[in-house]
Tab-separated table of all heavy atoms in Angstrom:
chain	number	residue	atom	x	y	z
O	270	ASP	N	-30.225	-20.744	7.919
O	270	ASP	CA	-31.068	-19.938	8.918
O	270	ASP	C	-30.580	-18.582	9.053
O	270	ASP	O	-29.542	-18.428	9.697
O	270	ASP	CB	-31.333	-20.828	10.081
O	270	ASP	CG	-32.417	-20.110	10.911
O	270	ASP	OD1	-32.927	-19.124	10.506
O	270	ASP	OD2	-32.722	-20.831	11.982
O	271	ARG	N	-31.329	-17.642	8.528
O	271	ARG	CA	-30.930	-16.275	8.735
O	271	ARG	C	-30.873	-15.814	10.289
O	271	ARG	O	-30.191	-14.935	10.685
O	271	ARG	CB	-31.827	-15.219	8.029
O	271	ARG	CG	-31.481	-13.812	7.948
O	271	ARG	CD	-30.223	-13.632	7.124
O	271	ARG	NE	-30.048	-12.209	6.799
O	271	ARG	CZ	-28.986	-11.757	6.123
O	271	ARG	NH1	-27.974	-12.608	5.787
O	271	ARG	NH2	-28.834	-10.499	5.856
O	272	ALA	N	-31.723	-16.686	10.999
O	272	ALA	CA	-31.870	-16.281	12.466
O	272	ALA	C	-30.748	-16.590	13.359
O	272	ALA	O	-30.558	-16.234	14.423
O	272	ALA	CB	-33.206	-16.773	13.078
O	273	GLU	N	-29.771	-17.321	12.778
O	273	GLU	CA	-28.619	-17.683	13.399
O	273	GLU	C	-27.893	-16.426	14.097
O	273	GLU	O	-27.390	-16.457	15.158
O	273	GLU	CB	-27.498	-18.424	12.584
O	273	GLU	CG	-26.394	-18.995	13.485
O	273	GLU	CD	-25.305	-19.681	12.594
O	273	GLU	OE1	-25.444	-19.640	11.285
O	273	GLU	OE2	-24.391	-20.319	13.204
O	274	GLU	N	-27.812	-15.380	13.279
O	274	GLU	CA	-27.254	-14.175	13.835
O	274	GLU	C	-27.937	-13.608	14.939
O	274	GLU	O	-27.350	-13.035	15.820
O	274	GLU	CB	-27.089	-13.161	12.679
O	274	GLU	CG	-28.296	-12.566	12.112
O	274	GLU	CD	-28.155	-11.523	11.004
O	274	GLU	OE1	-27.344	-11.843	10.065
O	274	GLU	OE2	-28.745	-10.381	11.128
O	275	VAL	N	-29.243	-13.734	15.061
O	275	VAL	CA	-29.973	-13.243	16.184
O	275	VAL	C	-29.602	-14.045	17.415
O	275	VAL	O	-29.283	-13.477	18.401
O	275	VAL	CB	-31.473	-13.373	15.901
O	275	VAL	CG1	-32.317	-12.948	17.085
O	275	VAL	CG2	-31.804	-12.603	14.822
O	276	ARG	N	-29.477	-15.321	17.296
O	276	ARG	CA	-29.068	-16.106	18.432
O	276	ARG	C	-27.680	-15.873	18.879
O	276	ARG	O	-27.413	-15.969	20.046
O	276	ARG	CB	-29.303	-17.647	18.023
O	276	ARG	CG	-30.827	-18.152	17.861
O	276	ARG	CD	-31.001	-19.514	17.614
O	276	ARG	NE	-30.587	-19.986	16.286
O	276	ARG	CZ	-31.387	-20.141	15.277
O	276	ARG	NH1	-32.706	-19.705	15.381
O	276	ARG	NH2	-30.913	-20.504	14.213
O	277	VAL	N	-26.824	-15.526	18.026
O	277	VAL	CA	-25.529	-15.297	18.416
O	277	VAL	C	-25.449	-13.886	19.237
O	277	VAL	O	-24.776	-13.852	20.235
O	277	VAL	CB	-24.515	-15.183	17.196
O	277	VAL	CG1	-23.132	-14.649	17.729
O	277	VAL	CG2	-24.270	-16.494	16.474
O	278	CYS	N	-26.187	-12.934	18.796
O	278	CYS	CA	-26.309	-11.638	19.531
O	278	CYS	C	-26.765	-11.930	20.928
O	278	CYS	O	-26.332	-11.428	21.899
O	278	CYS	CB	-27.336	-10.806	18.778
O	278	CYS	SG	-26.709	-10.050	17.326
O	279	GLN	N	-27.978	-12.723	21.028
O	279	GLN	CA	-28.464	-13.108	22.260
O	279	GLN	C	-27.486	-13.736	23.202
O	279	GLN	O	-27.400	-13.397	24.423
O	279	GLN	CB	-29.613	-13.901	22.157
O	279	GLN	CG	-30.899	-13.277	21.534
O	279	GLN	CD	-32.047	-14.181	21.402
O	279	GLN	OE1	-31.902	-15.364	21.214
O	279	GLN	NE2	-33.294	-13.582	21.404
O	280	GLN	N	-26.635	-14.722	22.700
O	280	GLN	CA	-25.690	-15.468	23.418
O	280	GLN	C	-24.617	-14.459	23.951
O	280	GLN	O	-24.184	-14.702	25.061
O	280	GLN	CB	-25.218	-16.691	22.736
O	280	GLN	CG	-24.390	-17.696	23.518
O	280	GLN	CD	-25.221	-18.138	24.682
O	280	GLN	OE1	-26.285	-18.772	24.560
O	280	GLN	NE2	-24.830	-17.992	25.940
O	281	VAL	N	-24.196	-13.681	23.103
O	281	VAL	CA	-23.194	-12.725	23.524
O	281	VAL	C	-23.568	-11.921	24.752
O	281	VAL	O	-22.908	-11.798	25.776
O	281	VAL	CB	-22.701	-11.775	22.344
O	281	VAL	CG1	-21.900	-10.661	22.892
O	281	VAL	CG2	-22.003	-12.504	21.252
O	282	LEU	N	-24.694	-11.214	24.646
O	282	LEU	CA	-25.446	-10.446	25.732
O	282	LEU	C	-25.528	-11.369	26.850
O	282	LEU	O	-25.200	-10.942	28.150
O	282	LEU	CB	-26.711	-9.854	25.307
O	282	LEU	CG	-26.634	-8.841	24.168
O	282	LEU	CD1	-27.964	-8.337	23.731
O	282	LEU	CD2	-25.800	-7.633	24.645
O	283	GLN	N	-26.127	-12.601	26.782
O	283	GLN	CA	-26.330	-13.424	27.978
O	283	GLN	C	-25.086	-13.918	28.612
O	283	GLN	O	-24.982	-13.960	29.882
O	283	GLN	CB	-27.199	-14.598	27.685
O	283	GLN	CG	-27.737	-15.291	28.852
O	283	GLN	CD	-29.099	-15.961	28.605
O	283	GLN	OE1	-29.840	-15.755	27.468
O	283	GLN	NE2	-29.619	-16.729	29.581
O	284	SER	N	-24.044	-14.165	27.831
O	284	SER	CA	-22.756	-14.624	28.376
O	284	SER	C	-22.061	-13.495	29.214
O	284	SER	O	-21.372	-13.805	30.042
O	284	SER	CB	-21.756	-15.114	27.234
O	284	SER	OG	-22.296	-16.205	26.590
O	285	LEU	N	-22.335	-12.320	28.717
O	285	LEU	CA	-21.755	-11.175	29.448
O	285	LEU	C	-22.535	-10.804	30.667
O	285	LEU	O	-22.202	-9.825	31.401
O	285	LEU	CB	-21.578	-10.018	28.631
O	285	LEU	CG	-20.364	-10.227	27.445
O	285	LEU	CD1	-20.587	-8.926	26.424
O	285	LEU	CD2	-19.152	-10.230	28.162
O	286	GLY	N	-23.711	-11.395	30.804
O	286	GLY	CA	-24.680	-11.106	31.990
O	286	GLY	C	-25.368	-9.739	31.795
O	286	GLY	O	-25.832	-9.118	32.743
O	287	ILE	N	-25.522	-9.368	30.560
O	287	ILE	CA	-26.176	-8.129	30.151
O	287	ILE	C	-27.756	-8.142	30.104
O	287	ILE	O	-28.397	-7.395	30.595
O	287	ILE	CB	-25.611	-7.444	28.881
O	287	ILE	CG1	-24.018	-7.056	29.245
O	287	ILE	CG2	-26.362	-6.213	28.529
O	287	ILE	CD1	-23.332	-6.615	27.988
O	288	ARG	N	-28.223	-9.306	29.322
O	288	ARG	CA	-29.499	-9.546	29.304
O	288	ARG	C	-29.736	-11.052	29.229
O	288	ARG	O	-28.788	-11.859	28.959
O	288	ARG	CB	-30.087	-9.042	27.835
O	288	ARG	CG	-30.195	-7.546	27.849
O	288	ARG	CD	-30.911	-7.129	26.507
O	288	ARG	NE	-32.334	-7.611	26.476
O	288	ARG	CZ	-33.186	-7.323	25.480
O	288	ARG	NH1	-32.657	-6.729	24.303
O	288	ARG	NH2	-34.466	-7.756	25.543
O	289	SER	N	-30.891	-11.575	29.566
O	289	SER	CA	-31.210	-12.983	29.441
O	289	SER	C	-32.379	-13.265	28.427
O	289	SER	O	-33.332	-12.527	28.410
O	289	SER	CB	-31.677	-13.464	30.922
O	289	SER	OG	-30.582	-13.328	31.832
Side-chain angles (χ1 to χ4, degrees):
D270 187 355
R271 188 67 166 178
E273 182 183 11
E274 65 178 50
V275 178
R276 293 189 282 269
V277 174
C278 284
Q279 291 179 329
Q280 191 59 55
V281 169
L282 292 173
Q283 191 147 355
S284 295
L285 291 172
I287 294 173
R288 289 185 67 182
S289 294

